[in-house]
Amino acid sequence: MPNDNTSPKILVFSTDKISDPGIDQAGLRKIHYSPSVYVINMPCSSGVKPRWILHAFEKGFDGVFIAADGHECSYSASCPERTNDIIIASQKLMAEKNINPKRIRMAALCSVCAEPFVSHMENFSKILAGLEE
Amino acid sequence: MRQRIGVYICHCGGNISDYVDVEELSKMFHKEDGVVVSKDVMFACADSNQKAMVEDIQQYNLDAIVVASCSPKLHLHTFRAVAGRAGLNPNNYVQVNIREQCSWPHSDRPREATVKAAGLIRAGINRVVYSEALDSIEIEVKKAAMVIGAGISGMKAAIDLARAGNEVYLVEKDYFVGGHIAQQEKLFMTGQSGKEIVKRLYDEMKSYKNITVFTGATVSKVTGSLGSFNIEVKVKPRFINGKMDKQSVKRVMDDCQVTVRDRFNEGLTTRKAIYKNYPEALPDVPVVDMEALRDHPDFLEKHKAVINPNEQEETIALLAGSVLVTTGFDNYEPKEGEFGYKNIPNVITLPQLNRLMELSPEKLVYNGKEIRSVAFIYCVGSRQKKGENKYCSRQCCTSTIYTALQLKEKYGKIQNYHLYRDIRTYGKQEILYDRASKQGDLFFKYEEKELPTVEMNGNAITLKVKDYLTNKKELEITPDLVVLVTGMVARADAPHISELFKIPIGNDKFFNEIHPKLKPVETVIKGVYIGGTCQGPKNVSEAVQSSLAGASKITALLKSGTVMGDPVVARIDADVCTWCGKCAEVCDYTAIRETITKAGKHIAGVNRSVCTGCGICAPVCPVNAIEVAKYTDHEIEAMIDGFAAEVEIREEDVSAVNEGKEDFVAAHMKEYPQIWKDILDTLDTEKKTIPEMVDTLNMAPEMVTWHLMTMNKYGVVSPAGTNDKEEYYYYKIK
Ligand SMILES: Cc1cc2nc3c(=O)[nH]c(=O)nc-3n(C[C@H](O)[C@H](O)[C@H](O)COP(=O)(O)OP(=O)(O)OC[C@H]3O[C@@H](n4cnc5c(N)ncnc54)[C@H](O)[C@@H]3O)c2cc1C
Ligand code: SF4
Ligand code: SF4
Ligand code: SF4
């Protein structure tokens, strides 16, 4: 059966203790979002390597979303800046491959942020669908 | 690489299989390379399935397993334990979340949900192929604990730790123990005197030979990690000749005429240069304030037998297996002019009023004026939408109302006015609120956007408030005293403690636990715990609960002499690393240091017992020499490949996902999962509504609802009418 799902394919990096539980909440409350959203959970969003992000694009993902802990991160007070550095480093690598920098996004999510997660996914899908490379 | 993998895909009694074709998926993965067993199971977590998994692992000699079921937050440990029981390394197990992140959020699109589940499971299989049989890191622990801060939280914890047989070092910065409660004449809810509690706890501590209390002491240096923290403590001198008897010391105190602002009395009075915080303060040895006596050489000369100006600060090195930080809070200091503070004479803070009351046994007099009416302005320095302190300080509503009750009880005719935003006398404290209303206190509600104003009119204070209880009417009060109900803020030196132990600090500047519900006293630093008000505003009972939780965590940790550390840590590829030091710069835990390999190469070395596995160092390495175990490039990239792979599912099977479903489920439901058993237990004696079950089970309402719906569908429970208000259905066992 071919996958007739045409919405953009998004890879989300979440964090074990905060944003992943937030994403679980959306499921628990049966708030629907696109089934082409796939999640990998990590200890901390500052640990995501730009090469993984590039790998996702090479494998056909349309966008990568980092669901960070923001200032709630229990590992590092400078987590938001660090995660941002990862985005910048990734965008540099993406530029070399002519990948639109808008294909990567980051936002802080909390452990009960079900609606915010879903609306982030909706907005990001819209942006991705509207991109013309 | 793992080559004999078992895959278990869970129906979750329909929670998953109503939307995801788990039977088709299990058939599909059977054909996958490396997969030896692929099964769909009714409840993966049920005992019978756990047993079957153990048998499979042994019978088929599996070297890795994947369970596709609910969120790992629920059952990661269940299946890790299954692996362990079967003799498999728990790290060769991967859990795939196809319920919270697939069947439920995509219940509207079963076909796509099945395709996504296939991707998620394939990613899990790909990942487990690269999983390593990691061994936990065994760390020796010294059976000694350091508690930092001897407020009520620290003292109670020290006693518990000592009772459990640990060596305890209690380090207190002030020269006297007790912290803030020593300033409280009476504490809600019990009416006990703070000073009496301090004395009782101090005496109890003294009865334990294994507690050493250091006062006037601070931590100056920390090295080492979980199991053996090497801690340097600096103890300030008291400048009192220890050989002198109490009488001689008292004579010198009496003779001292030099006075300075009294911090303990919140600046309301002065104290002598040789002092105790209060007469009964403990330890019972006064302190000489050398700074204050600097210009009084004659006095020092006269009393040189008692005062020893040459006494030096002492540095003591201690070894502790674990650390509990209980450094408490500071009071919010209002800014000059905030509600007239420091500009208008009779504007003081709540902590000041509490001191004033203890110092005024009969009449309440301030600035020479007898006080007959007091207006409290709540939430000063708390709940600031625009300011720094967004949080509520929790205890101050009750502290204020309790103070208002004391005012009336102690001084008779006093009129109290309360200018509040919301009254937060939660739990039993509500009784006090009720008492205050009944004794005739008047309450006015203001909003942050229209703050009350305090002005001086001649000799009198005019307080104007827009009262939201009387339709925003602007009211004027002329109280004798305005009391600012100041909140709790983090200790000014919290960043220093945070720096020493690497404890993360939150947005509110208090110390951060790992998780407020799941790991409420643990920090990301292994072996370092936090308790009491250094983690955020708390009343005494809450503060003690948290510090005692920390103490029991530490006791459990130190008990066996060794602990098993998490093997999820960073590691360096020695061939690739060039020791540029970039990773060490970003590691907040100083887990990375330069080391030299046997071959003489300078590389980054990770201290495995300190590393938290956060992975922050990994992306910054310019040559990709760092990987965190379980999050290696192989594993993550293989997962991405798994998500991306084409999925071939026969069309007719997907559309038929629900056909014949109920019969299948009924036939396969040999045993219920634990959560169903728990729900049935609550229904054992009486019918219940969902909210009632949620209360008894202490579980998310949605979780109970979904399971109950499934149980209803398969005839395990049935509705039994609605409750009186016709809001909720009752359920009973069918
Ligand atoms: C005005 C007011 C009235 C209150 N009334 C009540 C009441 O009636 N009932 C009630 O339940 N609660 C009341 N509370 C709350 C109560 O005071 C706190 O819950 C309690 O004091 C918390 O104790 P703690 O040990 O956590 O912190 P603290 O009392 O602050 O003690 C911390 C200790 O750590 C020491 N310390 C700090 N930094 C360091 C360092 N770097 N190194 C070493 N030592 C350090 C401090 O000197 C102090 O001794 C009131 C609070 C206020 C402000
Ligand atoms: S406890 Fe009451 S006074 Fe204190 S900050 Fe909260 S609402 Fe304001
Ligand atoms: S950043 Fe990389 S190359 Fe530099 S020291 Fe660390 S591991 Fe070695
Ligand atoms: S993973 Fe890296 S940054 Fe994080 S604690 Fe370990 S060594 Fe430090």
Side-chain angles (χ1 to χ4, degrees), chain B residues 143 145 147 152-168 170 201 204-205 208 210-211 324 544-556 558:
Chain B
K143 216 170 148 40
V147 180
I152 187 160
S153 305
M155 290 201 284
K156 285 289 290 179
I159 292 168
D160 260 33
L161 283 163
R163 192 181 298 134
N166 301 296
E167 192 66 40
V168 182
L170 179 58
L201 293 177
E204 196 174 345
M205 289 202 299
Y208 285 98
N210 48 344
I211 303 185
L324 177 66
V544 169
Q545 279 165 31
S546 96
S547 77
L548 291 186
S552 24
K553 284 275 165 195
I554 293 178
T555 297
L558 302 185

Side-chain angles (χ1 to χ4, degrees), chain A residues 1-7 9-53 55-57 59-61 71-79 82 85-86 89 111-112, chain B residues 15 19 71-73 97 99-102 104-109 111-113 115-116 119-120 127 504-507 512-515 524 568 585-586 588-589 612-620 624 626-627 631-633 636-641 643-651 654 700 702-703 706:
Chain A
M1 186 198 77
N3 186 354
D4 51 6
N5 178 11
T6 51
S7 34
K9 208 162 172 176
I10 300 174
L11 178 64
V12 177
F13 285 100
S14 65
T15 65
D16 293 336
K17 288 176 198 103
I18 301 184
S19 65
D20 203 59
I23 299 172
D24 276 0
Q25 279 283 323
L28 186 59
R29 294 168 47 196
K30 293 200 181 165
I31 312 179
H32 301 306
Y33 55 88
S34 156
S36 10
V37 170
Y38 294 78
V39 183
I40 296 183
N41 50 326
M42 307 278 305
C44 170
S45 59
S46 300
V48 175
K49 287 189 184 177
R51 62 174 276 165
W52 304 341
I53 294 171
H55 188 80
F57 288 123
K59 291 289 162 175
F61 274 92
H71 285 287
E72 284 190 40
C73 175
S74 57
Y75 289 106
S76 171
S78 48
C79 183
R82 296 257 159 79
D85 288 347
I86 291 165
S111 59
V112 290
Chain B
N15 277 308
Y19 317 104
S71 168
K73 273 121 242 152
N97 182 352
R99 192 179 72 184
E100 280 82 346
Q101 293 187 3
C102 190
W104 280 346
H106 313 312
S107 56
D108 54 335
R109 293 151 86 176
R111 171 193 299 246
E112 282 101 333
V115 173
K116 174 171 171 182
L120 296 175
R127 181 180 209 175
I505 286 193
N507 249 357
N512 247 5
E513 61 281 319
I514 294 184
H515 190 285
V524 286
V568 179
E585 272 170 36
V586 297
D588 281 353
Y589 309 98
T612 62
C614 67
I616 291 177
C617 53
V620 304
N624 198 30
I626 311 180
E627 283 192 325
Y631 299 89
T632 61
D633 293 344
I636 304 294
E637 288 169 7
M639 283 182 81
I640 296 172
D641 296 346
F643 294 151
E646 276 297 315
V647 178
E648 285 296 329
I649 292 174
R650 277 171 300 137
E651 184 116 15
V654 176
E702 294 88 353
M703 190 64 87
W706 302 141

Side-chain angles (χ1 to χ4, degrees), chain B residues 168-214:
Chain B
V168 182
Y169 307 116
L170 179 58
V171 177
E172 169 56 50
K173 187 174 170 180
D174 196 358
Y175 287 103
F176 304 95
V177 300
H180 283 99
I181 63 159
Q183 293 173 294
Q184 294 303 124
E185 186 179 21
K186 272 188 175 188
L187 290 161
F188 69 79
M189 295 291 296
T190 55
Q192 282 167 293
S193 132
K195 293 185 183 59
E196 266 169 44
I197 296 178
V198 171
K199 180 174 184 325
R200 218 179 54 220
L201 293 177
Y202 187 80
D203 290 347
E204 196 174 345
M205 289 202 299
K206 285 283 130 187
S207 73
Y208 285 98
K209 292 210 168 54
N210 48 344
I211 303 185
T212 316
V213 182
F214 300 94

